[in-house]
Amino acid sequence: MGSMFNTWKPMWVVLLEDGIEFYKKKSDNSPKGMIPLKGSTLTSPCQDFGKRMFVFKITTTKQQDHFFQAAFLEERDAWVRDIKKAIKCIEGGQKFARKSTRRSIRLPETIDLGALYLSMKDPEKGIKELNLEKDKKIFNHCFTGNCVIDWLVSNQSVRNRQEGLMIASSLLNEGYLQPAGDMSKSAVDGTAENPFLDNPDAFYYFPDSGFFCEENSSDDDVILKEEFRGVIIKQGCLLKQGHRRKNWKVRKFILREDPAYLHYYDPAGGEDPLGAIHLRGCVVTSVESNSDGRKSEEENLFEIITADEVHYFLQAATPKERTEWIKAIQVASRTGK
């Protein structure tokens, strides 16, 4: 967010060992500004902007506030984690530099982290996602650190547990794994050589698994959270027609399966969805025209009819995008609860 006009603009941001530089675009030679990190504090999540999601705040020693908004949760947490490390290194007189995982951990060139991640997520042969309880909290869709190392060894992806720890740390640093719970988060936030823990009490999850943590919640809370337990299989912006005024507005849609829900949000931000479409047993198809007569030949319209016979008209940007959404919703409606 700009400090003069308080407007939000996309910037290219670079984290240095002692500060943050931001550029108007990646190819620029000189930054638009620099934020010193020595003595600064970081606040995340930042609730100063009710409609903006994934915001964090850096407050300098001169009490100047700087606000940044990430594109998604994992991106924000990765920035926050590294900025905290940089501040901690400055306080301890150490040098911080976020090198590439392959160079800093000396990862063998033959290791393909992306392919390994897909194998770990295989429904039959991959790591089993569980609901684990600790400190009166239930961690859904996660697994333990020692289970990850066990899987790597048993699948002959590594020769021993020490090598498995190196690979798991690489997966964690590159965002293929995320920490859940105080123990695993503390290890990531620290400056230890291996941020990953080969420990049955350290919990982790896949970033698109539908993970969430609940603690002593009421029955109403559990019912509400049930909608968000599904794995995210597609997201993006579409035009949606309102039911009352029949006007069209851009909404950000997130499609989940098992249970199958399509939540829509204000694209400008906001933690809570504006509404949800339960997709179990629904019918979705492209349409020639909707209730106000707009033709889909040019407008790429499609319709969702729920099991309760509620009609939703949506508009994609291209024919290809419309086809992708229809296919994804059809799959979710058949397989999700």
Side-chain angles (χ1 to χ4, degrees), residues 224-276:
L224 177 64
K225 290 177 181 177
E226 176 71 25
E227 294 184 12
F228 301 97
R229 293 188 182 187
V231 176
I232 296 175
I233 58 175
K234 188 172 178 60
Q235 56 184 309
C237 289
L238 298 166
L239 274 171
K240 175 184 175 295
Q241 186 187 49
H243 281 100
R244 294 181 180 178
R245 299 181 181 178
K246 305 298 181 183
N247 56 338
W248 292 81
K249 290 185 178 180
V250 176
R251 296 293 181 230
K252 178 183 177 181
F253 285 83
I254 295 181
L255 174 61
R256 292 178 170 88
E257 65 175 356
D258 195 23
Y261 276 90
L262 185 62
H263 293 94
Y264 50 95
Y265 300 76
D266 184 341
E271 297 285 346
D272 299 321
L274 299 174

Side-chain angles (χ1 to χ4, degrees), residues 131-170:
N131 295 340
L132 303 173
E133 187 172 356
K134 186 179 180 183
D135 299 330
K136 296 183 180 181
K137 296 180 181 179
I138 299 175
F139 298 85
N140 297 267
H141 300 288
C142 67
F143 39 84
T144 63
N146 67 319
C147 282
V148 174
I149 308 300
D150 289 344
W151 185 91
L152 289 170
V153 173
S154 64
N155 282 268
Q156 298 181 343
S157 300
V158 297
R159 291 171 293 182
N160 50 55
R161 299 191 78 83
Q162 185 60 35
E163 191 173 289
L165 197 60
M166 179 185 72
I167 299 298
S169 297
S170 304

